[in-house]
Every structure is written in structure tokens, then in C-alpha cells.
Amino acid sequence: MSITEETVRHVAWLARLGLSDEEVEIFTGQLGRILGYVAKLDELDTTAVTPTFHVLDMYNVFREDEPRPGLPRDEALANAPDASLGFFRVPRIIKSGAPAGSPTAEEMSRTSSRTGASPTGPKSGARTGPGGDES
Amino acid sequence: MTELWAMPAWKIHELYEKGKTSVEEVCRTLYRRIEEVEPSVKAYIKLLPEPDGKGADGRVTGSPLGGIPYALKDNICTAGIETTCGSRILSGFVPPYDATVAAALKKAGAMLLGKTNMDEFAMGSSCETSAFYPTRNPWDLRCVPGGSSGGSAAAVAGGEAVFALGSDTGGSVRQPASFCGVVGMKPTYGRVSRYGLVAFASSLDQIGPLTRDVRDCARVLGVIAGHDPRDSTSAVAEVPDYERGLLEGRKDDLRGMRIGVPKEYFAQGIQAGVKHAVMEAIKTIQELGAFVEECSLPHTEYAMAAYYLIAPAEASSNLARYDGVKYGYRSEHWSDLTGLYTKTRMEGFGPEVKRRIMLGTYALSAGYYDAFYLKAQKVRTLIRYDFAKAFERFDLLVAPTSPTVAFRIGERMDDPLTMYLSDVCTIPINLAGLPAISVPCGFSEGLPVGLQIIGKPFDEPGVLRVAYAYEQATEWHLRIPHLDGVEAAKRIARNDGQVSADE
């Protein structure tokens, strides 16, 4: 089975996965070969077979809906690459008609790598080296 | 006398009880051993400067794992300790909570030494897809330790941890256990809580122990097994005392046991040396009194194809959460929110993870869902039926864990399909959700071979019983690799020309 580069680009878009032209080319070949292999399943007639989505005979696991403490907000935000005022901070998504005072894309871009946004420090940017965390 | 770093947990525990050694001495010995061999084995991603746990505070003798130094695969969350999943995209991620298994071991007084290397997001069979560096097999540093829990297996085999936990989605505990000559078990799906395990394929993932021997396996499983309200797929079934079951049962007598040998597991590209070792092991089990007969699991040849649709499909959905917003890596090259997602994922994921996200997204996408994903789930039913039918006649099944011994680093990296075939003997068991163990059963070309014992759902006691009887009748589990730090480093230096440190 073969698939086209166009299909690979479409699937990458569905997965919000950026691919280089080289990766598109490699994946077009590799995914074609893997799909060719899995086409083996067509040898089996499964019209009367029910699918197995889960191996345990377990349905509708209920619990009492009782309030309990959740993760504190500062802990939930501690790992964010960029957080501000108790929120995850992302680039502007409203193109026009935004209230005055909203940060522009340029402002967001400038502040996205600032330090001190989270207790553990900024996570943006590449690692310094593969063994950088070994202590 | 055996060195402390080469002893199983139950033996160290006995020495503690007799006052013949201390937690400090055991930890010191382990750290010295790590210092010696870790530069060549590279089992750990993160080594803690001092062990994390309360085992040293005098409560040691009360708990079977009190004061025992161990390691966790780096996809198991540890509060306050970085958990990377072997991926750049989770670099710097410090979990705010412990996985249920990590909390259970902490409560039992075990001492965490560090987090072990793994294939990125547990996708791989060799530890080579790690974003950091490949781990090397302590039996031959030119070879892979297997994967994805290769760091955990190498740490135990190399004497760098008394035991370790791994995770097994398609063989990721058993295959590296086999390659490294240690014991590795994948429990029944639902036996051990997955809370705090970074999700790969949720209907297949299961955490399991890697240990020096079967008794330790039973001991560790007893601590980590059980229902967890925070994992709704964890089973409510009672946890038996696995270790006591072993010690009280007859070790030298398997009379009354009916054991099937599925012929399909000996057909698919199995190495002669592996086949020989496994057949010899089966002979031993027969001599112990078990009734052994060949059987058939006719849909075995379709398991790989079904797995490589189901696992990537679930992974593509599970890995959608890595978007550069909530935790981990964020690209600096974006102009809008969508660009932030695509660039972060492009730069943060390695090639194997991208490949599987692509495959899974394709299999789930409009127009292909019925032909691929649904079809695979139906074939999964046929594979389950195969096992159910075999278990009408047999109590357990035995087979090789892997068709080959450990292969050379770099050998299979160019061809994903060949790499995927490493798991041909372990994948069907995950699809059916069954418990299975790999125990050392000999050597081929100087490298360890693993015997796989497969049981009915929740029959971990039966699996352990046969594994223990076999182990007691043989001495393979007592062999340790001659890993001399200095020699090893020299060999590495010689090989570095041919073996690149990273992909």
C-alpha cells in the first residue's frame, strides 16, 4: 500500500505535528510500508466479530461525587513554560476587536522566554545537552 | 560471599534482620557500583545524589522492601523529581505528585536511587530512541539492553539497583529482562494501578517489576498490586500473598500442572540458540512433573499488525496533550497558537514518536477508522479467543520471550518494521491483557535468553509458581555479567568509532 506526500502532510496537520520536507519524504515511504504490512489483517473475515476495546469485563465504574481538594493552582502552573496571573499564557488567538490593552503577538513573543514565570524556571529553548540532567 | 550489589532484596532483607549489614552500607555499596559501571552502561537518566526514602529510619525489618535501593523507569511520576519519559518534550517536567506505585514503594520503605533510561515515550525495543543516549547491555556493551524499559533491566543486571520498575505495553518489561538476563513480569491488565504512569497506549500499558529472581518479583508485585480509586481500570480483585504462595508451595514438584507450548512462537524467525535454550527449559519443567503438550494460537501472526494500529492510535490521542502550554518544552519559533503547537511538537518529539503519532492519527482519521482501527480491535478479539481456548486445556503457556538475543546497537534503527518484530512473542499477551513473566533460561552467543510463562487473567500465582520451580532447578539467575568498570570503559573507547552515542 502506498500513500502520498499530500496525505502525510494532511495527517501531520491533523496531529498538529510540524514535519520538515525531509521527514515528509521519509514518512511517506515508511508509513506506506507499515500500512502495507498491517493490510495483512484483511485476510481475516471479521464481519461477525465484536471489537475488543478493553480486556476486562468492566463497565461504568462509579464513585461518590464528593468534593475533595484538587491540585493547588500554583502547583498546577509550576511546570508551565509561561504562566501569568494564575493562568497559562499562550499567544493571542483573537485577531481583531480585542479589548484595548491586550498584549500583541510581538509582546507575547518577547515575554514568552522571560524568566521567573514559574518556580522551576523557564522551559523554553533547547536543552544544553543530552546528559545535562545527570547529577 | 556474593557482593551486596549482586544480592536479591529478600537476601538483603535477611541480612538486615540479622543485623549483618545496614541500609547505609547497602546504599553505599550500590553507589560505588554505579560510579564504577554507569559510565559504560548508562542505565540512568537521572541519578539522585542520595536515595529518596525513609528506609533508613529504623523501620527496616517491618517491611519486606524496607531499606532496599531501587530504580524507576522515567515514565513513572515522582513528586519533586524530574520525569522526562526519555523525551525532550518533557524535559524539565517535575511532577507535583507520585505515581501510585512510587507512593507504595515509598511507604514500604524502599530507597529510590534514580530514574532509568528508556525509549522515548516507551516507543521502542532497544532504548535507542531515548532523547538522551542509548543504554548498553551489561552482558555485552556493544549490544542494546532491549526496550523500552532497557535502563531498568540494565540497572538490575549491572548491579546498579536491587530491583526496578518498568512498564510493558507490547513487551517493554519482558523483552529487556530477557536481553539482560533478569526476571521481568507484566501483570494482568488492571492488576497494578497506572495512575502517574505517563500514558502511551492506555488499554495495553501495565507497570511491572524487574528483579534478580522470582522471589523478589513476587515480593515487589505484592507491594505495587491492588485496586486504586485513582485508576478506574485497576481491578478490584484481592491481592494474594504472592511470596508466601511461592515459599509454601512445592518448589520441586509441578505434578498436576498442564502446560501448553504454542507452536507459532517457535516459527517466526527464531534464532536456533534461543529455540534450543527454551526447549531445554521446557524439558526441565517436564522433569519437574508438569504435563507439557504442543498447542496452537492460530491468530498469532496477526498480532503485530493489530498492535501497530491499536497502540499508535491510542498514543496519538494520549500525546495530544504535549502542546507547549501546560508543561515541558515550548518552541521559540512561532507566530501564532497553531504554530506554537506544531513547532513545539516538531522540535520536542523524536522520529519514532512522530512516526507512531502519524500512524495512529492516520488509522483514526475519517475514512480509515473502520478499515484500520476497528478492524484491528476485532482481530484483537480473535487473539483473545485463541488464548481463552488454549486455557480450557492448559493452566499456563510457555514460549520464548524474544525470538532473538540482544542485537547490536544501531543494527535495527533504519528499519522500523524489523525493530517492531523484536516484540512478536510479547505483543499478543498485551492485546489479551494476560500476566506473563520472563525468566533467564540460558545463553546463546554469550547473551542471555528468556523463557516466557503466560497465565490466565489474575493467575500471577500460577505464573510465579512455575517460574520459581524452574529457577530453583537451574542456576541461570545466579549468573552476573563480568562488567569490570575499567575494562568496560576501554572497550567502549574502542567501539565508539563504530557506535555513535546518539541517533
Side-chain angles (χ1 to χ4, degrees):
Chain A
M1 173 166 183
S2 68
I3 56 170
T4 61
E5 289 198 359
E6 196 188 344
T7 306
V8 168
R9 285 184 203 279
H10 172 67
V11 171
W13 167 248
L14 290 176
R16 298 294 183 271
L17 183 63
L19 294 181
S20 67
D21 289 346
E22 196 198 343
E23 283 176 314
V24 170
E25 201 190 317
I26 293 170
F27 284 156
T28 303
Q30 288 180 340
L31 293 178
R33 279 197 296 283
I34 295 168
L35 291 170
Y37 176 78
V38 301
K40 187 179 176 57
L41 298 182
D42 293 336
E43 293 168 13
L44 296 169
D45 178 9
T46 53
T47 36
V49 181
T50 36
T52 295
F53 292 106
H54 202 274
V55 289
L56 299 178
D57 293 323
M58 200 187 254
Y59 302 94
N60 297 339
V61 179
F62 292 112
R63 62 166 170 80
E64 290 306 311
D65 187 19
E66 287 164 345
R68 339 169 247 190
L71 197 61
R73 184 191 278 186
D74 57 334
E75 282 184 40
L77 291 172
N79 278 291
D82 193 6
S84 172
L85 307 169
F87 295 99
F88 293 109
R89 195 168 156 116
V90 296
R92 178 174 175 161
I93 50 170
I94 299 167
K95 296 272 189 252
S96 60
S102 302
T104 63
E106 289 73 24
E107 283 165 350
M108 287 293 300
S109 168
R110 239 185 354 260
T111 52
S112 72
S113 58
R114 80 201 148 90
T115 53
S118 69
T120 50
K123 300 301 180 311
S124 48
R127 310 174 56 87
T128 48
D133 288 302
E134 224 180 293
S135 38
Chain B
M1 193 182 110
T2 317
E3 300 263 11
L4 281 170
W5 54 256
M7 279 186 193
W10 63 267
K11 219 172 227 173
I12 295 174
H13 180 73
E14 273 181 12
L15 294 180
Y16 284 157
E17 287 199 311
K18 288 181 193 151
K20 288 195 171 158
T21 186
S22 65
V23 178
E24 291 74 17
E25 191 186 357
V26 170
C27 288
R28 203 165 52 234
T29 311
L30 262 294
Y31 273 108
R32 206 157 49 218
R33 174 73 181 170
I34 289 169
E35 203 174 299
E36 198 178 292
V37 305
E38 179 64 2
S40 33
V41 176
K42 292 182 142 342
Y44 286 93
I45 289 177
K46 190 177 195 73
L47 197 56
L48 302 179
E50 52 186 74
D52 186 52
K54 292 201 174 74
D57 72 354
R59 298 184 298 112
V60 161
T61 50
S63 161
L65 292 176
I68 305 293
Y70 76 105
L72 285 175
K73 186 177 182 179
D74 205 27
N75 59 353
I76 297 172
C77 285
T78 39
I81 298 169
E82 189 181 3
T83 300
T84 68
C85 230
S87 181
R88 187 161 283 125
I89 211 159
L90 268 175
S91 58
F93 172 63
V94 179
Y97 60 87
D98 272 326
T100 297
V101 292
L105 289 170
K106 201 177 262 182
K107 196 172 157 221
M111 314 286 286
L112 180 66
L113 296 171
K115 308 294 291 289
T116 56
N117 198 17
M118 56 184 284
D119 284 292
E120 185 178 6
F121 279 99
M123 298 176 187
S125 311
S126 67
C127 246
E128 290 168 289
T129 75
S130 164
F132 303 104
Y133 32 75
T135 295
R136 295 167 192 276
N137 192 316
W139 290 94
D140 184 341
L141 295 165
R142 295 165 300 179
C143 292
V144 301
S148 64
S149 312
S152 287
V156 175
E160 298 186 70
V162 179
F163 72 92
L165 294 189
S167 65
D168 192 315
T169 305
S172 282
V173 164
R174 290 160 289 157
Q175 186 255 26
S178 167
F179 278 17
C180 290
V182 298
V183 174
M185 186 181 219
K186 183 200 91 73
T188 309
Y189 182 84
R191 180 71 292 184
V192 176
S193 168
R194 293 182 294 113
Y195 179 77
L197 171 69
V198 179
F200 163 12
S202 306
S203 81
L204 302 164
D205 296 343
Q206 188 64 194
I207 294 171
L210 292 117
T211 57
R212 296 202 183 292
D213 62 21
V214 176
R215 184 171 172 185
D216 266 15
C217 180
R219 184 173 284 210
V220 176
L221 183 65
V223 171
I224 63 172
H227 178 249
D228 177 9
R230 287 185 289 196
D231 173 5
S232 61
T233 63
S234 71
V236 188
E238 201 185 318
V239 180
D241 188 332
Y242 298 115
E243 189 178 357
R244 206 171 67 195
L246 288 188
L247 301 180
E248 287 179 355
R250 288 285 303 271
K251 297 187 254 300
D252 54 351
D253 187 359
L254 290 177
R255 265 177 299 178
M257 275 277 188
R258 295 165 305 157
I259 293 175
V261 183
K263 61 178 184 207
E264 290 81 4
Y265 286 65
F266 294 84
Q268 310 179 18
I270 188 172
Q271 286 173 349
V274 171
K275 187 173 179 177
H276 177 76
V278 172
M279 294 315 284
E280 285 297 310
I282 292 170
K283 215 184 282 170
T284 305
I285 288 171
Q286 209 163 9
E287 283 160 13
L288 288 164
F291 168 77
V292 179
E293 198 176 72
E294 189 182 90
C295 68
S296 173
L297 300 168
H299 294 96
T300 302
E301 62 171 306
Y302 300 98
M304 272 270 302
Y307 177 86
Y308 276 98
L309 289 167
I310 295 166
E314 293 185 14
S316 70
S317 163
N318 274 328
L319 271 59
R321 73 191 69 181
Y322 303 102
D323 56 5
V325 173
K326 299 178 290 294
Y327 32 65
Y329 177 80
R330 173 186 278 194
S331 171
E332 284 182 328
H333 311 101
W334 47 265
S335 54
D336 56 16
L337 185 63
T338 311
L340 184 142
Y341 294 155
T342 54
K343 289 287 184 187
T344 294
R345 292 162 66 78
M346 180 180 188
E347 295 162 20
F349 290 132
E352 183 59 32
V353 174
K354 286 180 186 170
R355 193 153 39 234
R356 298 212 197 179
I357 289 175
M358 291 291 293
L359 189 56
T361 306
Y362 181 82
L364 290 175
S365 64
Y368 299 108
Y369 177 89
D370 283 1
F372 289 109
Y373 185 67
L374 191 64
K375 180 82 186 185
Q377 296 285 33
K378 288 180 169 187
V379 173
R380 186 177 187 182
T381 304
L382 297 176
I383 289 161
R384 279 177 66 203
Y385 286 174
D386 277 358
F387 281 109
K389 216 170 154 202
F391 284 130
E392 284 172 10
R393 280 181 59 209
F394 300 104
D395 300 306
L396 297 156
L397 304 174
V398 293
T401 305
S402 167
T404 71
V405 291
F407 45 90
R408 294 288 180 97
I409 291 174
E411 195 179 281
R412 297 193 183 179
M413 280 304 271
D414 294 335
D415 182 4
L417 264 178
T418 312
M419 184 70 92
Y420 296 171
L421 283 166
S422 314
D423 298 326
V424 70
C425 297
T426 45
I427 277 173
I429 288 88
N430 295 75
L431 290 173
L434 304 170
I437 199 170
S438 179
V439 291
C441 74
F443 288 81
S444 172
E445 299 161 38
L447 290 161
V449 178
L451 172 74
Q452 184 173 218
I453 304 166
I454 307 153
K456 298 171 192 171
F458 299 102
D459 190 24
E460 281 83 1
V463 171
L464 288 163
R465 184 187 161 200
V466 172
Y468 191 57
Y470 172 74
E471 186 184 82
Q472 294 302 303
T474 56
E475 290 191 334
W476 304 117
H477 64 293
L478 300 176
R479 299 259 191 112
I480 47 170
H482 295 290
L483 220 175
D484 179 74
V486 184
E487 268 310 298
K490 273 189 212 149
R491 283 165 64 189
I492 285 292
R494 277 205 300 275
N495 287 326
D496 264 353
Q498 315 147 24
V499 183
S500 69
D502 212 331
E503 81 256 43

